[in-house]
Amino acid sequence: EIIDDMTFQVTLNEADPEFPLRLSYTGFAPLPSVFFDDPVAFEEAPIGNGPFMMDGVWDHDVQIRVVPNPDYVGPVAPSVSSVTFNIYEDVGTTGYLDLQAGVVDVQETIPADAVTTAPGEFGDRYAESPDTSFYYYGFPSYLWDQYPLELRQALSMAVDRQLIIDALFDGSRIPAASAVPPSLAGAQEVACGNWTFDPAAAQAAFEAYGGLDALGDEPLIVWFNTSETHAQIAEAVTNQWREVLGIENVAFENLEFSEYLPLLDSQGVTGPFRLGWGADYLSPLNFLEPLYASYSAPPVSSNSSFYNNPDFDQALADGKAAYAASGDLNDAIPFYQAAETTLCEDVGILPIYFGLNQYAWSENVDGVFQDAFSNMNWVEMTGGDIVGAIGEPEHLAPPASNESEAIEVLEILFSQLVEYDHRTSEPRNVVASSIETTDGGQTWVITVADGWTFHDGEPVTAQSFVDSWNYTATAANAVANNGFFGIIQGWDAMNPPSEEE
């Protein structure tokens, strides 16, 4: 609801003290009026309000080049002359080879087979930093007749996560027996036994399922997006299924990421599938609600396994209500943990590991740092024309982009109401001059700071946010970040149930 040119009010369905933290996410960015003229065309050369602006158009499968925005009024202006994102089908392997060859300047993915050698090769141009990334396999709920609970339990408990980490990453990952990263409040070391390595229990569950006879003659198909590292992990996981359970008949399917996500969203995968997640905002809720809440299924949000358990949903609702009532996250933690345990008891996913940023850079750039969101601090680097490495984005607009490749670019083309400090992870108002509530977090008044403009000179106003959010929240537009607005009153009316529902 617009109050004046620079102020708008947001009323939530229920009180949410974490709402300002959510506003750091790319999906809450403002949009210029030109976006609404042709949203598809906009993606070829997005016009944001951030520290960098497009230099030319998105050269698909080749590169995206950005240069400093001369009218940027944010806290830190860019120091580099430009950033060119080279686009690779296998960004880990080929991007790293190009770093070694001097073609790439900043490589934020070290391939598994280089983890042990990269520190010695790059010396003080190699670094590690904590992140919140989570690597897992999903069990699509629409295949649970084919993969019943006993089989899901067996497949999960047959996997020795630590062995995979030691063999492929020289121990530089954290084995996951939970779904919430250990750096976040309320993280459980073990959510339940189904997510631990227990060969005897795995064999017992497999026998209860019916063993190899029940599995039949068709291969067990494992899906992942194209990457040598993902292929190595898939091979390591299936080797353990072979050793512990005797499952020999396994096949692999892989696609480029821009093709992989749409297949997941359309329920096109035919077996366990690889995905990862990184924080949109720093809260345990962000690792539960978007990925597993029944109301977060695509195209609304990122529940790619289409997991649906009313007990899980209710535990999240109870946790949010407890937090809103007291303003203390600790009061929500038991409910969030209960939701996570429900997910574990269902074996809705198979966790593999929590990540650690490992990155390297050339002599052409200084001040490189990768933050808790696994985003590079492009704005704070010093150097000339810098080259980075990404995969081909699926989309390149805030309403439609919820995958890492696009966010890497959009994070510097757009500035948010709230942003986190790269090095300290402390949130701060940036485009917002104030975000205030007087009723415990159900109604928020947001004031946009003066002086912000889009790259085409259009002023950033309250209307820029309201129009953007309304577009994203409208079901007919079918954009990936729709579900992030489900907490706001009016979203239900913009997303009526389909006839099938």
Side-chain angles (χ1 to χ4, degrees):
E1 178 182 350
I2 297 289
I3 295 177
D4 58 42
D5 284 351
M6 305 302 285
T7 310
F8 63 108
Q9 178 174 292
V10 184
T11 304
L12 308 182
N13 293 318
E14 57 189 31
D16 180 7
E18 294 187 343
F19 181 67
L21 300 182
R22 297 174 184 259
L23 301 180
S24 65
Y25 177 58
T26 305
F28 289 94
L31 288 171
S33 56
V34 67
F35 168 86
F36 305 97
D37 296 336
D38 191 338
V40 174
F42 181 86
E43 295 193 32
E44 299 305 306
I47 296 171
N49 64 317
F52 287 90
M53 57 195 296
M54 292 288 292
D55 182 24
V57 299
W58 173 7
D59 190 358
H60 289 269
D61 295 307
V62 178
Q63 69 175 30
I64 298 168
R65 178 181 166 87
V66 300
V67 294
N69 170 15
D71 299 320
Y72 182 66
V73 295
V76 180
S79 296
V80 299
S81 303
S82 68
V83 177
T84 299
F85 295 99
N86 281 359
I87 297 173
Y88 298 94
E89 182 174 343
D90 185 346
V91 65
T93 302
T94 314
Y96 186 74
L97 290 173
D98 274 2
L99 173 70
Q100 292 175 310
V103 176
V104 164
D105 294 306
V106 178
Q107 175 66 15
E108 52 196 294
T109 304
I110 306 298
D113 59 4
V115 166
T116 58
T117 59
E121 180 174 358
F122 291 96
D124 60 6
R125 292 184 288 110
Y126 170 89
E128 298 179 350
S129 59
D131 76 359
T132 55
S133 63
F134 177 47
Y135 194 108
Y136 69 97
Y137 282 93
F139 289 110
S141 65
Y142 53 86
L143 296 178
W144 279 16
D145 287 344
Q146 181 181 348
Y147 290 85
L149 177 61
E150 293 83 2
L151 178 56
R152 301 195 304 273
Q153 290 174 315
L155 295 176
S156 177
M157 291 188 289
V159 176
D160 186 341
R161 284 94 169 153
Q162 187 64 61
L163 182 63
I164 293 173
I165 291 167
D166 291 343
L168 298 183
F169 301 103
D170 196 32
S172 61
R173 301 289 189 275
I174 301 170
S178 61
V180 175
S183 59
L184 297 184
Q188 303 183 89
E189 185 174 352
V190 178
C192 80
N194 288 336
W195 286 345
T196 62
F197 177 52
D198 189 335
Q203 291 164 359
F206 193 53
E207 183 178 348
Y209 157 71
L212 294 175
D213 290 339
L215 206 55
D217 297 329
E218 293 297 318
L220 193 161
I221 301 177
V222 177
W223 292 78
F224 52 90
N225 57 293
T226 304
S227 160
E228 184 175 342
T229 297
H230 299 333
Q232 290 172 333
I233 293 173
E235 184 175 357
V237 168
T238 55
N239 281 343
Q240 293 180 7
W241 291 346
R242 181 179 301 110
E243 292 172 8
V244 175
L245 305 174
I247 298 174
E248 300 278 354
N249 194 8
V250 176
F252 301 122
E253 292 282 355
N254 67 93
L255 293 169
E256 193 171 344
F257 205 54
S258 58
E259 300 174 285
Y260 185 66
L261 283 181
L263 189 71
L264 292 178
D265 291 352
S266 63
Q267 300 189 2
V269 299
T270 55
F273 63 89
R274 174 268 162 193
L275 263 185
W277 186 255
D280 301 315
Y281 60 99
L282 299 180
S283 166
L285 183 63
N286 187 235
F287 281 80
L288 298 171
E289 188 172 43
L291 293 176
Y292 318 113
S294 64
Y295 46 85
S296 295
V300 170
S301 193
S302 300
N303 181 359
S304 297
S305 61
F306 293 83
Y307 178 73
N308 186 344
N309 187 318
D311 292 338
F312 179 92
D313 292 351
Q314 187 60 54
L316 294 188
D318 291 343
K320 290 190 287 185
Y323 190 176
S326 68
D328 186 347
L329 174 61
N330 290 323
D331 291 335
I333 292 301
F335 298 102
Y336 295 162
Q337 290 177 336
E340 184 182 22
T341 299
T342 296
L343 176 69
C344 180
E345 290 172 346
D346 285 339
V347 201
I349 62 167
L350 193 170
I352 302 294
Y353 63 75
F354 297 110
L356 178 72
N357 292 323
Q358 295 172 296
Y359 52 102
W361 59 95
S362 76
E363 296 177 347
N364 297 330
V365 61
D366 288 312
V368 179
F369 184 78
Q370 196 168 15
D371 66 17
F373 295 91
S374 295
N375 291 327
M376 301 304 302
N377 65 332
W378 301 102
V379 174
E380 299 164 350
M381 296 179 193
T382 58
D385 296 311
I386 304 305
V387 178
I390 62 172
E392 171 79 349
E394 182 184 1
H395 290 285
L396 203 58
S401 301
N402 67 349
E403 34 87 17
S404 58
E405 309 307 306
I407 289 174
E408 185 75 43
V409 180
L410 294 176
E411 198 244 352
I412 58 175
L413 290 179
F414 289 83
S415 287
Q416 310 297 327
L417 291 163
V418 174
E419 295 180 3
Y420 287 88
D421 184 276
H422 284 290
R423 295 183 183 271
T424 68
S425 295
E426 289 295 319
R428 61 188 177 191
N429 289 349
V430 176
V431 181
S433 64
S434 65
I435 304 174
E436 299 177 342
T437 181
T438 58
D439 60 5
Q442 183 165 12
T443 305
W444 295 87
V445 176
I446 300 172
T447 302
V448 179
D450 293 329
W452 286 89
T453 60
F454 291 103
H455 301 149
D456 61 359
E458 178 184 332
V460 177
T461 66
Q463 196 72 52
S464 308
F465 287 96
V466 172
D467 289 346
S468 172
W469 295 10
N470 282 337
Y471 177 90
T472 308
T474 300
N477 293 324
V479 289
N481 288 320
N482 173 292
F484 283 91
F485 296 87
I487 60 174
I488 299 176
Q489 285 187 11
W491 181 87
D492 288 342
M494 302 165 77
N495 293 266
S498 66
E499 292 182 5
E500 289 81 3
E501 296 172 313

